[in-house]
Amino acid sequence: SRLSDVSLDSAADERGGAGRRRGTSERRASSPALPSADSARNRFAFGFALSVVAGCFYGVNFNPPQHVIDEARRETSNPVHSRESLDYVFSHFCGIFLATLVYFGVYCVIKRANGQRPQMPNCVAPAMVSGLMWGAGEISWFVANSKLSFSVTFPIISSIPGVVGALWAVLVFGEIKGRGNYVLLVVSGVMRLFAVVLIALSKNGL
């Protein structure tokens, strides 16, 4: 009869509506929640604070060995410490390695406290290769400090990696696009290289 057909159709519509609502709720539950504005600001502030701390460590990491070298150079006879900068590379690297172990230990403790298992990300192998490259650069930096001075080496070593990073951003990752950005990048790179040359020549009083 018509009443039975209508009741069957309404029941089917109700089941279909319930299924659609259930599918929508499942999709909402499975989709990752977007971070709130407060969470994003907190993460930015935390990352900014860490970058400031890292910059401070970057600026003073040569001070202890250089202080010992300067003390040895002021001693006219029978210096207690070595005057050669390369003699301090091993102890310098040992301190960095021990500090890294401490940081990793703190990371593991925090993960365990939150009920999570510490994980080794996929970037471990590239990080080791990067560490080897950094070690070679750090040794060269020790030599540069002994031949020049902090006022010369720090601007040079702080400027050139920025140029290399900009080239990677253009040629590899495609982060910098547009003719205007290219022109600005070239102009800033040329000015930076020109400043580096002037800083290097200033050591000889030219």
Side-chain angles (χ1 to χ4, degrees), residues 49-138:
L50 289 182
S51 65
V52 171
V53 173
C56 293
F57 286 158
Y58 174 80
V60 302
N61 82 98
F62 282 106
N63 287 6
Q66 190 62 39
H67 174 71
V68 177
I69 293 173
D70 293 339
E71 289 292 333
R73 289 175 178 174
R74 280 192 289 266
E75 297 174 359
T76 57
S77 61
N78 298 325
V80 178
H81 305 287
S82 175
R83 298 175 181 175
E84 297 296 329
S85 59
L86 292 179
D87 293 336
Y88 300 91
V89 171
F90 181 75
S91 61
H92 192 72
F93 284 10
C94 286
I96 295 173
F97 178 70
L98 292 177
T100 304
L101 288 181
V102 171
Y103 301 150
F104 183 72
V106 172
Y107 160 78
C108 293
V109 170
I110 294 175
K111 282 290 187 179
R112 289 294 186 182
N114 294 331
Q116 300 175 354
R117 183 179 179 182
Q119 298 179 354
M120 299 295 289
N122 297 327
C123 62
V124 172
M128 294 180 66
V129 176
S130 176
L132 294 176
M133 297 172 61
W134 173 87
E138 195 81 353

Side-chain angles (χ1 to χ4, degrees), residues 41-52:
R41 282 194 294 268
N42 292 336
R43 291 173 65 88
F44 173 80
F46 181 69
F48 184 81
L50 289 182
S51 65
V52 171

Side-chain angles (χ1 to χ4, degrees), residues 4-205:
S4 62
D5 293 339
V6 170
S7 60
L8 290 175
D9 292 340
S10 61
D13 292 339
E14 290 178 358
R15 287 195 298 271
R20 287 192 295 271
R21 289 192 296 271
R22 184 169 59 254
T24 303
S25 62
E26 290 177 355
R27 286 194 298 271
R28 290 177 179 176
S30 61
S31 61
L34 295 176
S36 62
D38 293 337
S39 176
R41 282 194 294 268
N42 292 336
R43 291 173 65 88
F44 173 80
F46 181 69
F48 184 81
L50 289 182
S51 65
V52 171
V53 173
C56 293
F57 286 158
Y58 174 80
V60 302
N61 82 98
F62 282 106
N63 287 6
Q66 190 62 39
H67 174 71
V68 177
I69 293 173
D70 293 339
E71 289 292 333
R73 289 175 178 174
R74 280 192 289 266
E75 297 174 359
T76 57
S77 61
N78 298 325
V80 178
H81 305 287
S82 175
R83 298 175 181 175
E84 297 296 329
S85 59
L86 292 179
D87 293 336
Y88 300 91
V89 171
F90 181 75
S91 61
H92 192 72
F93 284 10
C94 286
I96 295 173
F97 178 70
L98 292 177
T100 304
L101 288 181
V102 171
Y103 301 150
F104 183 72
V106 172
Y107 160 78
C108 293
V109 170
I110 294 175
K111 282 290 187 179
R112 289 294 186 182
N114 294 331
Q116 300 175 354
R117 183 179 179 182
Q119 298 179 354
M120 299 295 289
N122 297 327
C123 62
V124 172
M128 294 180 66
V129 176
S130 176
L132 294 176
M133 297 172 61
W134 173 87
E138 195 81 353
I139 294 173
S140 303
W141 200 346
F142 267 99
V143 177
N145 286 336
S146 63
K147 301 298 182 182
L148 302 173
S149 63
F150 281 6
S151 60
V152 177
T153 57
F154 265 86
I156 294 176
I157 297 175
S158 300
S159 300
I160 300 302
V163 176
V164 177
L167 292 177
W168 275 81
V170 173
L171 302 177
V172 179
F173 300 108
E175 299 172 341
I176 301 177
K177 298 179 180 179
R179 182 177 179 181
N181 292 329
Y182 290 154
V183 172
L184 182 61
L185 180 64
V186 171
V187 172
S188 63
V190 171
M191 294 177 62
R192 183 175 298 186
L193 293 177
F194 183 68
V196 167
V197 172
L198 292 180
I199 293 172
L201 294 177
S202 67
K203 176 63 178 178
N204 297 324

